[in-house]
Amino acid sequence: MPEVAYHAVALDTLRLVAADDLIFAYHRASGITHLLAPPAPEILNILAEAPMRADELLVQLAALYDLADGDLAMLVARLDELIAAGLVWRA
Amino acid sequence: MDRVVKTDGWLLARALCDPASVATLDANGWTSLLTIARAEQLIGSLAHRLEGLPMPESAARILADARGSAAQGRVLALWEAEMARRALASLGCPVVLLKGTAFIAAGLAAGVGRSIGDLDILVPTDRLDAVERALIAANWEWVKPDPYDDAYYRRWMHELPPLIHRDRDRMIDVHHTILPLTARITPDAAALIADSVALENGLRILSHPDMLIHAAAHLFADGDLAGGMRNLWDVHRLVEEFGTEGVFDRAAHHGLSVAMHRAVRLAAALYADPDGVQLRLSRLDRLYLHRLTARDGWGRAVRPLLRQAFYMRSHLLRMPPLMLARHLWTKWRGGHHAI
Amino acid sequence: MKHTHQLRIGPVGFRIGSDWAAPIAQLKTLYRDYPSPHGDIADFNVRLFATRPWRRLVRPSVMIGGDYILPEAAPLPLAQGLLAAEMAMNLQMALGQRRYLLIHASVVERDGRALIMTGESGAGKSTLAAMLAARGWRLMGDEFALVDPTTGLIHAFPRLVSLKNKAIHVVSAAMPKGRFGPLLAATPKGDIQHLVPDARAIAAMDQPAMPALLLFPNFGFAPAIRDVGAGEVFVRLTQASTNYVAMGERGFTALTRLVREIPAKAIDYPDTGAAMTAVEQLWTGL
């Protein structure tokens, strides 16, 4: 049984404004404003290109961004937050 | 040209029916119209009907704001539907959108400028527990009812007790039929779902005849006619868009013939033919219209005795008399006031 | 409604109806120099009414009604009818305003630029605004900053300034020529007295201003000034806005522009004198 993959909203559905280290994101489809701090913007960037499993995402994050070695459990927790926020979903 | 227009709900009905008629309004007239429209939750619909017509600048600005407000309300309503879809997707059961959210999701005329409050969905009775669990798992919570209300709801009402989303603060009402189980009329819930139509995203809406019947049932059996002008505007827009073919037969199947005929007549009386040229209205119809238009230029609900009469009638329709007595007694003891 | 009045505060017109003459008479007096709503069509309606017909006379208490209401609101005694009217107008704005982003703040203007002061109740926004106005700044408002999402400009909403408890004495001492409303003693928020904005504030109510400085004042501490980071500013402003969510993307545009373009400082101050010194210092340094 294929493991579930994470999908993210297309980046053009977000209105993004950067200030200091933060990104303010207005999600047009939901009307919700999010404050995104690393690794959330990086996760969204990667998943917006292509959906993938959590373990693959972990590898991509380490490769593309200089993110300190997180563990899978922490990544899944971040992804759960993004799911609750409506920016990511599992399929 | 100097026709005397009463300052009550008819002022709003006339403007919706014949937008050009607002040309004769003075500042006072506009103020009353806008106030009544707000009170009847129809200012968004009115704003769309009147868009582009010549009018005082202030009125134009206020109505432009109303259109903007409705547009944002639309975004939030569709998002609630989407999040409910995500929460319930794995259950594989039909999820049917009802009322305003359905009109908007399906791009119907009835959805233009409509204000949306809660998300209403219809699911099969036998999946109710699973739906409840899935919503709670996705962070909806009970709006804390008192224990009596909760038992009453579960046993007799046509919906789960209300749920509200923890983060988004929006309510969802999960129905399993369209009238309370205690009502004298019992619509065929399974047929409603069987005939529902799928949208692109997998959520469903009622068939057009069932949508009309639901609006009629909702208006006459589920409430004391508060919000009736909006309900009948929905009926009018649905009839305009889809006609009434098959509707009355279907209504008969659900046991809602009388309500359906009355809804179509009253919607036409308000919004298609307010001068009553072609319609034949009974005395009871006229009483209904009088109750429905009971607003003054300050947006206050007027005609209190008539309102009370209809309120009591709606409870009679919903509950057998003994149950009603017990229910009202318990509520009164709890410090609520029944009327 | 037996007694009525219409007035305009900045871009917003109100129609107020009352079961009693007194609150309307007070409004007419205090707002006597204010214009009517544009085109005589009010944006919002407010009603002061008795719960039951006999409560107009017996233990009269004022229920607040209008286009937008809080269902659980408690009535006020008739003696505080003016307060009820002010609260009701604020409520219409808070719940119904859709053209401008609202931030719970006081605003004063100098040289076409606006100073916005926002914070919790009791932070001293109204007092500071009144005192700065006494010093020559133009008062734009003490309750709401109106931000135009298209232009980024701040529009004035100079309603009656609401002064509470000690602030009443501080301000009336500093403004011996000021016009004040009646002293409303022992309201749910203590003693309240309203200050009528001066002639200049009223005459200039339709002139917007460019926002130039955002302050988060904090009363009752030794003087201190610190920068406030963008994230904190954003979060605090959304908390201080009653209509941010309803405004949708336009609200986001207005707020992010403020966050990115305007310096934001938190000032702790022990008394209004210290606060005004800090304000002048920061303003000069812009």
Side-chain angles (χ1 to χ4, degrees):
Chain A
M1 182 171 114
E3 231 187 273
V4 100
Y6 290 86
H7 300 245
V9 294
L11 290 179
D12 62 10
T13 62
L14 294 173
R15 178 94 187 278
L16 300 168
V17 168
D20 295 354
D21 301 332
L22 290 171
I23 295 184
F24 304 116
Y26 179 80
H27 184 203
R28 291 193 174 101
S30 69
I32 301 175
T33 302
H34 304 276
L35 255 68
L36 302 174
E42 291 79 3
I43 291 173
L44 290 176
N45 262 329
I46 295 172
L47 291 179
E49 296 279 315
M52 61 184 68
R53 301 191 316 263
D55 55 344
E56 297 170 324
L57 179 58
L58 192 59
V59 168
Q60 291 285 325
L61 278 169
L64 291 171
Y65 303 101
D66 210 3
L67 289 175
D69 54 348
D71 58 61
L72 195 59
M74 259 180 54
L75 180 59
V76 170
R78 295 285 84 75
L79 287 166
D80 281 343
E81 284 163 11
L82 288 169
I83 288 174
L87 296 172
V88 164
W89 64 93
R90 277 195 294 259
Chain B
M1 216 44 205
D2 276 28
R3 179 194 62 211
V4 173
V5 184
K6 279 169 68 189
T7 303
D8 64 3
W10 283 105
L11 180 61
L12 173 62
R14 229 166 251 287
L16 286 168
C17 170
D18 176 18
S21 69
V22 300
T24 59
L25 289 176
D26 61 10
N28 240 332
W30 273 107
T31 304
S32 297
L33 173 61
L34 294 169
T35 306
I36 293 170
R38 269 209 197 91
E40 292 293 336
Q41 314 260 3
L42 279 169
I43 195 164
S45 309
L46 179 69
H48 279 275
R49 288 291 281 169
L50 301 184
E51 188 171 7
L53 286 174
M55 64 178 69
E57 213 185 298
S58 331
R61 265 201 313 268
I62 292 168
L63 292 174
D65 286 351
R67 284 191 294 274
S69 207
Q72 183 65 6
R74 200 190 123 85
V75 168
L76 299 182
L78 288 175
W79 185 250
E80 279 310 298
E82 170 59 15
M83 291 304 264
R85 189 196 68 75
R86 291 185 193 181
L88 302 175
S90 60
L91 298 182
C93 79
V95 177
V96 185
L97 299 175
L98 298 173
K99 301 187 197 162
T101 307
F103 305 152
I104 281 180
L108 305 184
V112 173
R114 199 169 189 292
S115 69
I116 311 277
D118 311 334
L119 171 63
D120 289 90
I121 62 173
L122 174 70
V123 299
T125 312
D126 60 354
R127 308 304 308 274
L128 212 51
D129 286 343
V131 166
E132 184 181 335
R133 279 195 300 273
L135 290 174
I136 302 239
N139 295 325
W140 272 273
E141 323 180 306
W142 300 116
V143 178
K144 314 256 179 281
D146 75 59
Y148 174 77
D149 265 350
D150 192 282
Y152 169 72
Y153 251 102
R154 285 184 188 280
R155 232 177 121 207
W156 300 111
M157 284 300 280
H158 53 307
E159 54 196 28
L160 289 178
L163 288 155
I164 189 165
H165 194 269
R166 178 193 71 181
D167 302 322
R168 294 189 304 273
D169 217 31
R170 303 267 308 200
M171 301 234 308
I172 184 171
D173 293 319
V174 182
H175 304 252
H176 57 96
T177 175
I178 58 173
L179 283 177
L181 291 172
T182 58
R184 276 93 178 277
I185 304 159
T186 44
D188 182 351
L192 290 172
I193 295 182
D195 279 20
S196 66
V197 173
L199 298 170
E200 240 185 83
N201 60 8
L203 288 170
R204 309 182 74 85
I205 56 172
L206 294 174
S207 69
H208 296 139
D210 281 340
M211 229 183 238
L212 259 168
I213 292 160
H214 183 215
H218 182 63
L219 176 65
F220 294 112
D222 195 35
D224 62 346
L225 295 187
M229 282 195 75
R230 185 175 81 162
N231 220 305
L232 286 170
W233 179 248
D234 291 342
V235 168
H236 173 65
R237 294 290 260 170
L238 289 169
V239 168
E240 262 191 330
E241 194 164 359
F242 302 114
T244 52
E245 201 183 310
V247 169
F248 295 111
D249 287 341
R250 184 73 167 170
H253 173 76
H254 287 301
L256 283 161
S257 253
V258 173
M260 193 68 251
H261 276 99
R262 179 168 294 123
V264 170
R265 253 189 346 268
L266 295 184
L270 278 174
Y271 302 120
D273 182 19
D275 289 318
V277 170
Q278 289 171 331
L279 284 174
R280 307 202 43 214
L281 299 171
S282 67
R283 270 199 70 208
L284 183 55
D285 286 339
R286 291 184 200 285
L287 263 179
Y288 268 104
L289 288 170
H290 206 54
R291 160 64 186 104
L292 289 162
T293 56
R295 282 276 172 211
D296 69 8
W298 284 85
R300 288 178 291 191
V302 292
R303 297 170 199 156
L305 290 177
L306 194 55
R307 267 188 291 125
Q308 234 189 59
F310 277 100
Y311 182 86
M312 298 191 66
R313 188 166 184 278
S314 82
H315 265 302
L316 282 174
L317 289 171
R318 265 197 276 187
M319 284 194 229
L322 193 56
M323 252 202 98
L324 174 65
R326 196 195 313 146
H327 178 70
L328 291 176
W329 172 246
T330 311
K331 287 208 81 107
W332 189 78
R333 281 187 61 203
H336 305 282
H337 290 286
I339 307 279
Chain C
M1 296 246 87
K2 232 169 127 192
H3 310 276
T4 70
H5 188 51
Q6 299 205 95
L7 57 92
R8 179 163 64 81
I9 303 175
V12 186
F14 294 92
R15 178 176 66 153
I16 303 124
S18 168
D19 278 345
W20 304 269
I24 297 294
Q26 286 171 327
L27 285 172
K28 281 183 173 165
T29 304
L30 295 170
Y31 280 108
R32 72 173 181 223
D33 298 324
Y34 282 64
S36 311
H38 287 300
D40 283 323
I41 300 172
D43 294 271
F44 299 112
N45 299 272
V46 156
R47 288 182 293 121
L48 308 177
F49 64 98
T51 42
R52 293 268 184 267
W54 59 88
R55 292 300 295 273
R56 249 176 258 158
L57 299 170
V58 175
R59 277 182 295 122
S61 71
V62 181
M63 294 284 294
I64 292 175
D67 294 330
Y68 297 90
I69 58 168
L70 286 178
E72 318 282 294
L76 290 173
L78 180 56
Q80 292 166 15
L82 173 63
L83 180 62
E86 288 289 306
M87 284 170 58
M89 288 191 280
N90 285 345
L91 190 63
Q92 304 314 302
M93 286 290 275
L95 298 181
Q97 175 57 242
R98 293 287 179 273
R99 204 172 307 154
Y100 304 97
L101 175 70
L102 290 185
I103 299 174
H104 192 54
S106 62
V107 187
V108 292
E109 174 260 316
R110 185 192 265 175
D111 301 324
R113 295 184 302 167
L115 163 63
I116 304 169
M117 293 173 280
T118 184
E120 305 264 316
S121 238
K125 310 184 289 296
S126 296
T127 313
L128 289 177
M131 297 299 281
L132 287 166
R135 285 234 188 135
W137 292 70
R138 189 233 319 182
L139 176 69
M140 293 182 81
D142 80 313
E143 181 73 22
F144 294 116
L146 275 55
V147 189
D148 185 329
T150 320
T151 60
L153 294 173
I154 309 296
H155 288 251
F157 187 73
R159 55 152 224 173
L160 304 181
V161 178
S162 174
L163 301 168
K164 300 186 186 80
N165 302 312
K166 290 215 191 80
I168 299 172
H169 308 290
V170 171
V171 174
S172 50
M175 306 185 74
K177 294 221 187 86
R179 280 188 73 214
F180 289 85
L183 174 65
L184 304 170
T187 77
K189 296 204 173 147
D191 292 350
I192 291 182
Q193 194 162 18
H194 293 98
L195 164 69
V196 181
D198 61 31
R200 183 182 159 212
I202 298 171
M205 73 165 69
D206 292 325
Q207 285 167 32
M210 276 298 302
L213 179 61
L214 180 61
L215 287 186
F216 295 91
N218 218 357
F219 174 61
F221 296 90
I225 300 179
R226 68 173 179 90
D227 286 335
V228 185
E232 186 182 344
V233 173
F234 193 91
V235 170
R236 291 181 74 168
L237 287 180
T238 54
Q239 288 170 343
S241 173
T242 56
N243 68 352
Y244 174 74
V245 174
M247 291 287 286
E249 192 166 347
R250 293 165 63 234
F252 181 78
T253 301
L255 215 56
T256 47
R257 186 196 248 128
L258 279 177
V259 169
R260 296 215 299 173
E261 297 177 10
I262 319 300
K265 312 274 181 191
I267 54 171
D268 293 344
Y269 66 104
D271 54 62
T272 51
M276 295 203 284
T277 305
V279 164
E280 295 291 347
Q281 176 191 327
L282 287 168
W283 193 259
T284 317
L286 282 178

